[in-house]
Amino acid sequence: YVLEGSVQRSADRIRITAQLIDALKGHHLWAERYDRNLTEIFALQDEITLKILKAIQVKLTEGETYSTVPYAGGKQDLDCYLKAMEALGHVQRANIEDTNVARRIAEEAIATCPEPLKPYSLMAAIHMMDYWFGTGKSPRESIEKAIELAQKSLAVDDSRAESHALLGYLYSLRKEWDKAIAEGERSIALNPSGADVKYWYAATLTFAGRPEEAILLFEKAIRLNPFGPSRYFLSYGHALLYVGRFKEAVSAYKKALQREPNNFFAHLRLAATYSMMGLEKEAQAEASEVLRLNPKFSLDNFAKILGYKDRTETEKIITALRKSGLPDQPPLPLPDKPSIAVLAFDNLSGDPEQEYFSDGISEDIITALSKTPKIFVIARNSSFTYKGKPVKVQQVGRDLGVRYVLEGSARKAGEKVRITAQLIDAKTGHHIWADNYDRDLIDLFAVQDELTKNIISAMQVKLTLGEQARVDAQGTNNLQAYLKFLQARENVNRFNSEGNALGKRLAQEAIDLDPQYAMAYRILAATHRMDVFLGTSKSPKESISMCFKLLNKSLELDETYAEAYGAL
């Protein structure tokens, strides 16, 4: 597109022309002329800029939606209009992140704009989105605030048809059907040819159990405003779904997604529609998009706010969404430290008798992780419920309230075994770490211990201690000694007498399990040094002497141990 125009001046009068042209076809899409008195040049520039901006948006983007925002004239009013348009653009995207951005911009506009231009209806729509997303304090409070703001908009100007239409829709969410229909009819009376008022009234009629009437109104709205926002096609799809026109509903939802690819509600309703059509794979794919856009989504919460007058319609949609794989309950809150579920390792040997080996690896890892201070691990009884079932890690994360999932497999061939393990971020589905281990099965338990230690060490590198975890794991193949060391260090680092005493006992136990474990001597030395700092040493001189003795022993075992040199 090309916008061109001209300016002519005659004494104190000015004439501005503007025309919007399709650069591919050469056709005029819109043209206008403005004659004004040349009294205040900057105010005039703002006024003409705003009028041209509105006209272009009506022709090229969202139709009359952009023409309904009031404007009086002047720089402040132009700034307010631009803020309102920016916020509206974010609201139209229909996802949590953009709604929060829209809220910030709309609040700025309400704080700074003159009364006639305060975007109360826009802010009402933002609270309405909070209602649907569950991002407010409560759905009831969100809808009450939305209604209050829509009423405030009408208090400024009761002739705003769009505000009446929005208010009617909000009343329908509160199940006040008579008020909802009355406001919708009022909006139509005020603006019989308005696409937006037809949209809002049609959406109200859908929830009121009158989908056939709603479909006709939606189609009129779309004809009047073919560049309308994604919500036109979204709500049109709801009415089509209501009457069982599934293929047409899918088409409408896809059109909504063409306009806004991250439209949460379009993905949600597509999941329900595909489920009703028996297209399980497609339904599950849409359900995954729903959880990507709103990880806290749950059917229990959605059922409470899905306000159809006919309760059976709500039940039909919830049943379909459940079939698509969406969860009834919201995810459990994540612990304040890295949390993980270890799934039963798959037995790839083809020999049922080898099941004990693959299960043993998983159980050893769970037991060892439970003794690792910086990681929260789910118990075996919970994580093993997924054994033998095809399940997505995102679902495991939601069901068990963990951020990470460890899965793997064991394959035995003769006297050799191959173990694979992979650590996955259950929120994103991305792999964080993966490795495989080939071993001779000379001593089954020794192999299990070694592999468990290696896997835990690798996980700590990624989740807690970084490269320090790799250093700490060196020098011993004794799993129990390694775990005692980790627990000892955690207790010493609490910097209190109780923790230090426990750390001293655990460090000594690690040495007893593996006298060649250099790191254990260094952490035992740290407990004697801490006795001096905490005032719990009977003889500071003897404690420091013991530090030297233990650190030198550590370096005898591993002369490359940098931390021991540092401690010395």
Side-chain angles (χ1 to χ4, degrees), residues 85-250:
M85 291 305 96
E86 186 181 1
L88 179 61
H90 285 286
V91 172
Q92 305 285 29
R93 292 173 187 167
N95 61 67
I96 294 174
E97 183 179 351
D98 279 288
T99 299
N100 290 333
V101 174
R103 185 195 328 279
R104 175 180 57 77
I105 298 168
E107 286 174 347
E108 290 174 3
I110 287 176
T112 59
C113 294
E115 187 63 31
L117 295 176
K118 292 184 185 293
Y120 293 125
S121 288
L122 179 59
M123 198 67 198
I126 290 169
H127 283 291
M128 178 190 70
M129 299 298 266
D130 284 339
Y131 171 85
W132 284 115
F133 286 126
T135 48
K137 289 184 179 179
S138 72
R140 179 178 179 180
E141 181 175 314
S142 294
I143 211 66
E144 293 297 334
K145 285 183 177 180
I147 289 173
E148 178 186 338
L149 286 159
Q151 291 171 337
K152 200 165 186 177
S153 175
L154 291 169
V156 175
D157 182 358
D158 189 56
S159 67
R160 292 178 180 174
E162 292 73 17
S163 295
H164 281 288
L166 173 61
L167 182 59
Y169 178 76
L170 295 172
Y171 279 139
S172 76
L173 299 182
R174 208 162 63 176
K175 299 181 176 61
E176 296 180 359
W177 307 110
D178 291 342
K179 285 185 178 181
I181 298 300
E183 289 294 338
E185 291 176 345
R186 175 79 190 281
S187 71
I188 296 291
L190 286 168
N191 187 4
S193 61
D196 252 20
V197 296
K198 284 181 170 57
Y199 159 77
W200 285 115
Y201 187 37
T204 300
L205 290 173
T206 302
F207 282 121
R210 295 159 60 178
E212 292 85 359
E213 297 173 65
I215 288 171
L216 294 175
L217 273 177
F218 281 128
E219 290 172 348
K220 288 180 181 178
I222 292 168
R223 281 200 302 272
L224 286 165
N225 188 8
F227 295 107
S230 63
R231 57 184 164 86
Y232 276 35
F233 298 94
L234 175 75
S235 297
Y236 180 40
H238 297 351
L240 292 167
L241 179 60
Y242 200 131
V243 298
R245 292 162 60 176
F246 298 137
K247 289 184 178 179
E248 293 172 82
V250 168

Side-chain angles (χ1 to χ4, degrees), residues 19-78:
Q19 47 193 352
L20 182 65
I21 303 167
D22 186 322
L24 296 179
K25 299 177 181 179
H27 295 164
H28 282 69
L29 299 176
W30 164 84
E32 191 60 82
R33 187 181 77 186
Y34 307 94
D35 291 338
R36 296 290 188 276
N37 289 320
L38 191 57
T39 53
E40 176 52 62
I41 184 69
F42 296 122
L44 176 61
Q45 285 185 191
D46 288 343
E47 178 194 350
I48 300 303
T49 298
L50 191 282
K51 287 183 179 295
I52 293 173
L53 177 61
K54 277 189 177 182
I56 291 175
Q57 288 178 309
V58 167
K59 286 293 181 183
L60 301 186
T61 57
E62 308 241 344
E64 70 172 46
T65 300
Y66 282 100
S67 69
T68 57
V69 177
Y71 174 78
K75 184 178 188 308
Q76 184 184 19
D77 291 357
L78 177 59

Side-chain angles (χ1 to χ4, degrees), residues 296-476:
K296 296 182 180 180
F297 177 84
S298 73
L299 293 177
D300 283 357
N301 290 334
F302 186 58
K304 294 174 185 175
I305 62 173
L306 191 57
Y308 286 100
K309 189 175 183 179
D310 182 356
R311 185 66 189 171
T312 60
E313 183 64 19
T314 298
E315 293 170 356
K316 181 174 71 176
I317 290 172
I318 295 300
T319 300
L321 290 173
R322 183 177 293 113
K323 189 178 175 183
S324 76
L326 288 169
D328 284 301
Q329 299 291 335
L332 297 169
L334 294 178
D336 57 1
K337 56 184 177 180
S339 51
I340 187 168
V342 180
L343 303 185
F345 276 35
D346 294 328
N347 173 22
L348 302 182
S349 302
D351 181 359
E353 293 185 4
Q354 298 304 319
E355 199 76 19
Y356 73 92
F357 178 71
S358 56
D359 284 355
I361 290 286
S362 306
E363 291 178 8
D364 280 355
I365 293 172
I366 291 172
T367 301
L369 282 173
S370 68
K371 298 177 181 179
T372 305
K374 292 185 179 295
I375 295 178
F376 174 88
V377 63
I378 293 295
R380 175 194 184 281
N381 288 344
S382 296
S383 57
F384 269 46
T385 58
Y386 301 97
K387 182 178 177 179
K389 300 176 183 176
V391 63
K392 292 186 176 181
V393 293
Q394 288 93 332
Q395 181 184 340
V396 175
R398 288 177 60 86
D399 291 349
L400 300 181
V402 295
R403 176 64 188 268
Y404 304 99
V405 170
L406 181 75
E407 61 180 14
S409 63
R411 178 180 297 169
K412 184 175 179 290
E415 294 304 313
K416 287 187 174 292
V417 66
R418 169 169 290 178
I419 303 293
T420 65
Q422 46 193 354
L423 181 64
I424 304 168
D425 187 325
K427 186 175 182 181
T428 64
H430 295 161
H431 282 69
I432 295 176
W433 161 82
D435 210 340
N436 60 63
Y437 308 89
D438 292 341
R439 295 291 186 273
D440 292 323
L441 269 181
I442 300 171
D443 183 334
L444 177 63
F445 297 129
V447 169
Q448 286 189 189
D449 284 354
E450 181 195 355
L451 293 174
T452 299
K453 185 180 83 71
N454 290 342
I455 290 171
I456 289 177
S457 172
M459 287 171 55
Q460 287 192 309
V461 169
K462 291 294 183 181
L463 301 185
T464 57
L465 298 171
E467 287 301 316
Q468 183 61 44
R470 208 181 305 278
V471 174
D472 295 338
Q474 294 172 356
T476 185

